[in-house]
Amino acid sequence: MNNRGLSLFPISILTLLAGVSVWLDRVTQQETVVKTDKTRHEPDFTADKLTLRRFDIHGKTQYILVADRMVHYGDDESTELIRPRLDYLNRPEPVRMESEFATVSKDGETVVMTDKVFLRRAATAGKPESTLRTQRMTVWPDDERMRTEAPVTLTQGTTVIDAERMESDNLVGEVRLQGKVRGILYRNLLVPKP
């Protein structure tokens, strides 16, 4: 029996060594797991003097978005724009919308412009210049829609209208003013054609 125990001793030592070797191999081969702190809202990249062009299905420029600075946050995939300007070019009268600050949704389909939001539509034959002023505007650039729950002031030539809320669809040419709406409307005198 003593000889039998001595013959099992090397086998048990080899088994123990093999087990320790496998364990050491697994411990040293594990990939390092990078832990990210999702509670920290820090930028993962920035860009200065950003210009983004959107083309329609025919290859013509639909709009241009320009910003002094863009900051992207990886924790929630949000994007902030400093001094954004949005120019719609696919219409007879150019339209520019600008503000001091904006946030862009994760999918890039919604832009919320805040602080001194200003929209200007250039004058065309038979239509005077139009402007809009508010403090906050949600814009869907691809659909050319916008909405605000903040008070707005609209002007067209000498006409001035104030409203508590507004919705607009530029593709169908519809503006809905809501809440208390007040203003002074002046008839635009059409210049006769020669």
Side-chain angles (χ1 to χ4, degrees):
M1 201 172 220
N2 209 2
N3 285 338
R4 188 171 181 184
L6 287 175
S7 65
L8 290 178
F9 181 72
I11 293 175
S12 61
I13 292 292
L14 286 174
T15 304
L16 182 63
L17 283 173
V20 169
S21 297
V22 169
W23 176 77
L24 280 173
D25 183 53
R26 287 189 181 171
V27 169
T28 58
Q29 295 282 333
Q30 285 184 350
E31 292 182 24
T32 306
V33 178
V34 178
K35 294 183 181 180
T36 57
D37 186 359
K38 293 288 185 184
T39 61
R40 298 179 75 182
H41 190 63
E42 293 181 346
D44 57 354
F45 69 89
T46 62
D48 291 328
K49 306 295 183 197
L50 172 78
T51 301
L52 172 76
R53 295 176 192 275
R54 169 76 172 170
F55 298 94
D56 64 15
I57 59 172
H58 305 291
K60 187 176 175 187
T61 303
Q62 181 179 357
Y63 64 81
I64 299 173
L65 175 65
V66 177
D68 289 354
R69 183 170 180 81
M70 180 193 76
V71 180
H72 183 268
Y73 296 91
D75 61 333
D76 62 356
E77 295 295 321
S78 65
T79 303
E80 295 177 351
L81 301 174
I82 308 301
R83 295 203 28 78
R85 281 123 19 233
L86 182 63
D87 290 314
Y88 284 103
L89 304 173
N90 61 343
R91 52 187 356 98
E93 68 281 350
V95 175
R96 170 172 273 194
M97 188 170 195
E98 57 189 50
S99 68
E100 294 296 314
F101 185 79
T103 56
V104 181
S105 64
K106 180 179 178 178
D107 58 10
E109 293 184 11
T110 306
V111 178
V112 178
M113 301 180 88
T114 55
D115 300 333
K116 299 179 185 174
V117 179
F118 179 73
L119 182 137
R120 179 185 174 274
R121 187 188 71 206
T124 59
K127 283 186 181 178
E129 176 183 271
S130 298
T131 65
L132 175 145
R133 292 179 191 276
T134 188
Q135 285 300 310
R136 180 181 180 90
M137 181 71 70
T138 302
V139 181
W140 292 269
D142 292 347
D143 299 332
E144 295 192 34
R145 290 185 307 117
M146 55 188 167
R147 179 177 62 222
T148 183
E149 298 295 320
V152 296
T153 299
L154 297 165
T155 66
Q156 184 177 40
T158 54
T159 296
V160 178
I161 301 173
D162 293 308
E164 290 181 342
R165 298 179 304 281
M166 187 203 80
E167 288 185 39
S168 172
D169 186 333
N170 290 338
L171 294 178
V172 295
E174 182 178 273
V175 176
R176 287 182 296 270
L177 302 173
Q178 302 167 343
K180 291 183 182 177
V181 178
R182 60 190 175 281
I184 301 173
L185 303 175
Y186 293 92
R187 181 179 292 181
N188 293 328
L189 298 175
L190 296 177
V191 179
K193 294 181 181 178

